[in-house]
Every structure is written in C-alpha cells, then in structure tokens.
Amino acid sequence: MDIIWHNKSRQYHLYNDKISYIMGVTPLGDLGSIYFGNRIHDKEDMSYVVNRFGLANVAMDPDTESYSMELNRQEYPSFGLTDFGTQAFEIEQENGSRVSSFVYKDHKIIKGKTPLKGLPATYAGQDEAMTLEVYLEDEVAKMAMTLSYTIFENYPVIARHAVFKNIGSDVKKITRALSACIDLPDQDYEWMQFSGAWARERIPVTKKISEGSISIESKRGVSSANQNPFVIIKRPNTDDFEGEAIGMSFVYSGNFLAKAEGNTFGRLRLLMGINPDRFTWVLKEGEEFETPEVVIARTSEGLNDLSQTYHELYNNNLVRGKWKNTPRPILINNWEATFMDFDEKRILEIAEKASQAGVEMFVLDDGWFGERNDDYAGLGDWIENPKKLPQGMAGLANKISALGMKFGFWIEPEMVNPDSNLYRRHPEWVLATPGRKSSLGRHQYVLDYSKDEVVDYIYGMLKKVMGSGPISYIKWDMNRSLTEVYNADLPADEQGMVYHKYIMGVYSLYERLRNDFPEILFESCSSGGNRFDAGMLYYAPQAWCSDNTDAIDRIRIQYGSSFGYPISSIGAHVSAVPNQQTGRSASIDTRANVAYFGTFGYELDLNHITDDEFETVKKQISFMKENRELLQFGTFYRLRSPFEKDQAAWMVVSKDKKKAILGFYCMRANVNQLPGFLKLAGLEKDLVYVLRGEEYYGDELMNMGVTLNKLNSNFLTTGQDFVSYVEVIEAK
Ligand code: DGJ
C-alpha cells in the first residue's frame, strides 16, 4: 500500500496489492480521474488518458478550445462549467451564482485515517491505511474544499468524503454535497440495488445501465427499508463467483441519494451522498461542512468476494469496542410472545424456561415504561411502569441475573406519543411545521433531534434507567418516517439543515450512551430493517434485520442483506409457528437453520413448545455456542439464490479453511427431478473433508459439488417444502 504523488505530472497513485486508484490535477487545475481497477504498475505520467480533442461542444480552455469536462472523467464534478451531467456539489453564493470552479492548491498524505467529526466512519491504525487529502479552492466564490481518500492495506477499498469551508466573509448555501463520485470510461455494467418495504427488506434488484440515469434515494429521514444505501455495479456476466464489480456503501443513516448516470459519450458516473432534495447547509464565515463517508470496494472475483470485503472491513474497521469481533450472546426476546401484555411474573416464566435451554440473555421488548399498554401511549416516558416492574428495571435485571442470564431492554428514544407526560409537558419538541398538523405514524410523533435540549433530556432519562442495574444490551427502535420536518428555532434559510441535524442528534445520543456504558451491546432496529446501514453499525454492531421472522422469507431477506453487511450484524431469531407475519409453519429445525446465519436468538415462549421441540432447542443452542464464531465471523459465501430457484444455499468457511458450515434450504419441493449437485466454495482444494461421514477432496466439493440426495434421499419429493439442512464440513 502506498500513495505516490508525481510532482511533475501532478498525478496521484493510490494502490495496495489489489487495486490502483489514479487521478491527477489537469492543466486547468481541476481534479480528473484516470483509472480505478486492478493494481497496475506505477508510471510518472498517465495524462494521455485525458481527452483533449476539438469535439467539445463548449470548451473549458478558451486558449485551445480542446478541453471539455463533458468528455472527461472527474473526481468531484460541479455544474455550470462544461459538464452537463449530475454534479457532486453545488454552492449558492451571495450574488446568487451557483457556478464554482475549484482548483488544486496543495495536498497532504498521512498514515492511518483521521476520524470524521460527529459522524460514523471506518477507522484505521497507522499501518492499516493511508489517507490523501487534496486541498482545492475557488478564489471567486471564496470557498475551500478538501477531498479525502483513504486506501486500506488489506482491502480493495477507497473511503471518500469531502469537507467544505467558507473562506469568505459572506454567507454561502451548500445546496448539494455528495460524498463521492466515480467517473468510469464505459457503461457496460448492471446496477444492483437492495429494495423492499416493511417485512421484505433488502431484496436485490438488477437493472441494465445505459445512457441516462438510474437512482435510488430516501427522503424518509432514515436510510429506509425501501432503498438501502448500498449499491453495486457489475459487469453483465459477473456472478457470485467471478467477474468485476464495484460497491458503494454509505456510512450514514439519513436521507441519501445513489445514482448511476451514463452520458451519451460513453462515460459512466456513480454518485452517492446525502440526498440533495431537502438539503441546504448554510455556511457562515470560517465555518465548515463535512460530508459523511462512502466506502467504495472493488473486485474482479465476483460478488461473494465483494461482500466478503465489506464484511471484513466492517467487522474490523467500523464496529468498535467490546463487541468488535466478539461472538454475540444467544438471546430471547419477549415481543412476539407477549407484545405489551406482560408483568414481571410472566417475563420470569419465559426467562426461566429459556435459561434451562441455555439461552444467555433476556431482552425485554416494548411496553415496560410509562402507560405503555398498547401503542397509543407512553413513548417518551422512559420510567418503569410499577405495575409491570414493581422493583424497577434493576429488580427484573437482578432476577434475570440470578437465573444466570444477562439482561437488556427495548427503547425508542426518538419518538413520543401524544398521550405521554413528555408530550403534555413539551409539545414544542416534536417535528412540526407552523400552522399545520403533524402526521402520526403508529400513533406517535418524532422528537426533534435537531434540537440539543431534546437530545439532552432523553439522554438524562435513558442514562438513569440504563445505569440502574446490570444491563448488558439495548434494542434501539425507530418506527416511523420523518414528516413536517421543521425546527422553529432556526431561521427560514436554515430549514434545509434539519434532516441532517436530526441524524447528527441521533449519533450524538448513541455516542454518549456508548461512552457511558461501553460494555453494552446495542442492536439497532427500525420496524425491523428500516435503518440497516453502515452508519448504524458504528454504534450498534447488530441490527434487527426484519420484523418478518418467517424462516422462508428470512432466507431471502438475509441473503439480500449479506451483499453489503456482515453475518455478525444480522439480527435473526427463531419465532413461533404459524408465523405471525405470514401464517406459514416451518419446523423448529428450519427456523434455526436460517437464524444460525445471523446473531441467533429466540422470539417465542419456550413454555409453549412440545417437549421434543424443547430438547431440539437445547441442541440448537449448544450447536450455536460451539459454532457461532465461525458462523458470524467466518468467510461467507452465497451458493444458490432463493430468487432464482426453489432452493437456496450458503456457507461459511473458517480462515484456515479446515472447517465449514453449509446451510441448504428447500423452499418448495420439485417433484420428479434429478436431485442435482450443489457446488461448495472457499475450501482448500487438496484437503480431504468429511461431510456426513463421507470423505471428499476440497476440489471435488467445489467443482463437482455434493449430490443433494446425500443430504436427504427423499429430497425433491412430497413433504419437502421448507426442509433444510445445516452440515458441518471438517478437514480430516
Ligand atoms: C418494531 C420492532 O421491529 C419489533 O421487533 C418490536 O420491537 C416492536 N417495534 C415493538 O414496538
């Protein structure tokens, strides 16, 4: 890994063993892209890739009339010069002009990576990464800009963000500040996005890229279940096992935009950042605005390889503290068992049975506070309801501890019900537009986290209850989108700052609580997976993946989530049947076989299952305890897509390749067909592995595959719907 600066040609070459990222200062002073791809040799001058021909409709260089931004590739394009594509940023100046032209001034190359201020971001030690900061200035607009690029030693990854500074005495408005742009020299790619809604999150959708644009966005104030802030472009023949692809992952949890734009000259532009729609940032003299980070990863070896890069980078360089690379406790959550209808006795019944099965942690979900007996009341009153918890949270936590289990509870700190003491006292604390009614979602308003006093108040309440007893875990929920976004304390021209200030308020509360309680494991949640993004992982290393706990649907949801997020982050539980969301019934084995490839836990009352099932649960828990390190932190491979066939498969392989665990799922029996083979991946070709008592070479399992009737001779006959297998494969 190194970052080379060629002084004469004014070009940078950022490289590690896998990738080269080359760019340079053009003769006009702007920053142009040269190359992003497999590692190549360094050369003093590659400016031959810059197009200077007379075809330009309008030329930036009046002397030669030969340089047009429209025909060239740029690092961080602006509008209003000679590029007519989508710009990465826009600054409205005091005279109303939105044209800006930033030229190179200087740069700095540093070891490691500087943290972003108040924002989540990947981090790296001095030997793990190098960072290039390029300083540019627009002397007419009196604005400075820093473009930051980090290259990691061990990952084919570039992390980017930008910083704006007002160096004039007037007031500027930044009306667009995306975090990264990549201009590529051809458009022969497909675009993958991960779309959905409540209970069907992160379903892969693939589209052909050509002239014109494809984009996804969120304007909900959360990253959203509708569109995830992670996209991939891939060559049309790229699949999980081979081919070129580039991923862009936004380390941010609010409104976003991701866009691919092919211009009609063959250039492809990729952009990602805060959604410019509803965004304006006012910069007074001397003030700075820092964009969140985009993590760009690249592969030539297929989508599994790309996903593994994100899994490892996020496990090693995004998740922090005690839970970094730490296997997750097996928990039981009372939500689907009781909803809000519980008292301490009922909770202890569930906990006692769970402790007999070997469950390690009890999570008390919604309903423990204020007058919260249904979802019409109580949010905002983070004080225990004495009818449900007579000795408070501490009393219950101590009783659960006495059962040999850890304890944690649910909060939804960004919300308030109109029927709550908090709202009665502070109706002015909700997001509301003057003169208009605020919309309700699940009978609740959104607290205005762009106001410090609101965040401070909630912090005080939560700190008290979190510090009251042995608390090891917090599930932080967020159940509605933001509407009527307006902060009455801000002037009219600063209303475009509220969405971003809101999410900065959320991050600051997370950070304070994390600092106060460094041992606590946070799990983020937003009606399931409505805020499953890399930004959240910086604070909460796991996320409740979906409220849909149906094992068959979960195969698709977890499969889709695995493209951009590590298995250790995917909250997955065994719940009761018939499933509460779908009415489907899968066996207790299949429900666990899916949940093993996640954080693993239970979301039901184990008193209500048969004795045989309870014995099975005990075995599941010991299996998970023995294998969770491998399941959650091993190298994960998608093998067969649930979107293409009636079967799905995935596997994890240990770093030394001596042990692997395969998950195979038959969602629907296909009668009267040959069973076929399933090719495994990631094994050592010369090692001999044992699978179900039989020996196979690694190359045999990876090239010929395992014949599926080895897993079950009845496979593909009647009665095999929802049947699944989890197989441990060990080298001899
Ligand atoms: C939505 C979450 O996704 C559920 O798991 C549960 O915590 C409920 N909220 C509680 O209200």
Side-chain angles (χ1 to χ4, degrees), residues 584-601:
R584 232 177 251 138
S585 293
S587 69
I588 193 98
D589 295 319
T590 288
R591 282 174 273 155
N593 286 347
V594 179
Y596 288 143
F597 293 83
T599 58
F600 197 72

Side-chain angles (χ1 to χ4, degrees), residues 600-722:
F600 197 72
Y602 292 84
E603 185 114 1
L604 75 175
D605 184 349
L606 294 174
N607 291 295
H608 295 168
I609 60 174
T610 64
D611 291 347
D612 280 354
E613 283 177 328
F614 189 67
E615 288 312 307
T616 304
V617 165
K618 283 187 185 162
K619 287 191 197 124
Q620 292 172 348
I621 290 171
S622 31
F623 173 81
M624 190 63 193
K625 284 180 182 166
E626 195 182 324
N627 293 297
R628 61 182 146 188
E629 181 132 24
L630 171 56
L631 286 159
Q632 292 167 350
F633 298 97
T635 309
F636 179 83
Y637 291 87
R638 289 175 297 273
L639 300 177
R640 185 166 287 186
S641 167
F643 301 100
E644 286 165 16
K645 289 201 158 60
D646 290 331
Q647 307 143 0
W650 51 44
M651 69 188 285
V652 286
V653 183
S654 64
K655 301 281 175 241
D656 65 5
K657 302 192 176 195
K658 294 212 169 123
K659 188 170 174 184
I661 301 178
L662 165 69
F664 180 84
Y665 310 90
C666 180
M667 289 147 352
R668 199 166 164 273
N670 296 147
V671 288
N672 195 20
Q673 269 190 7
L674 289 172
F677 290 81
L678 174 72
K679 290 182 186 175
L680 307 191
L683 303 173
E684 184 56 60
K685 68 179 174 39
D686 298 325
L687 281 180
V688 174
Y689 292 90
V690 181
L691 167 60
R692 288 242 178 150
E694 292 196 34
E695 293 185 4
Y696 305 87
Y697 283 107
D699 55 7
E700 190 183 344
L701 290 172
M702 292 192 291
N703 292 293
M704 191 160 80
V706 53
T707 167
L708 289 170
N709 58 351
K710 280 279 171 215
L711 301 182
N712 179 349
S713 52
N714 292 327
F715 183 69
L716 307 177
T717 60
T718 48
Q720 299 298 300
D721 286 358
F722 313 159

Side-chain angles (χ1 to χ4, degrees), residues 198 333 335 340 365-366 372 410 412 442 475 477 479 525-529 544 546-547 603:
W198 175 77
N333 177 307
W335 177 243
M340 296 179 210
D365 212 281
D366 194 356
R372 184 78 167 166
W410 178 98
E412 193 180 357
R442 204 192 182 195
K475 177 178 174 185
D477 206 345
N479 282 308
C525 173
S526 182
S527 302
W544 184 226
S546 176
D547 276 349
E603 185 114 1

Side-chain angles (χ1 to χ4, degrees), residues 368 380-384 393-394 409 411 413 449 454-471 474 476 508-518 520 522:
W368 56 266
D381 299 339
W382 301 107
I383 298 170
E384 299 93 320
M393 195 63 86
F409 61 90
I411 55 174
Y449 267 45
V454 176
V455 179
D456 290 347
Y457 181 84
I458 299 292
Y459 166 69
M461 284 191 115
L462 291 177
K463 185 172 177 181
K464 201 159 166 211
V465 59
M466 284 167 72
S468 68
I471 309 300
I474 289 291
W476 179 318
S508 87
L509 181 59
Y510 254 119
E511 195 62 12
R512 279 196 262 177
L513 292 172
R514 276 183 43 92
N515 287 337
D516 291 342
F517 304 102
I520 284 187
F522 284 88

Side-chain angles (χ1 to χ4, degrees), residues 35 209 435 472 620:
Y35 172 80
I209 287 176
S472 306
Q620 292 172 348

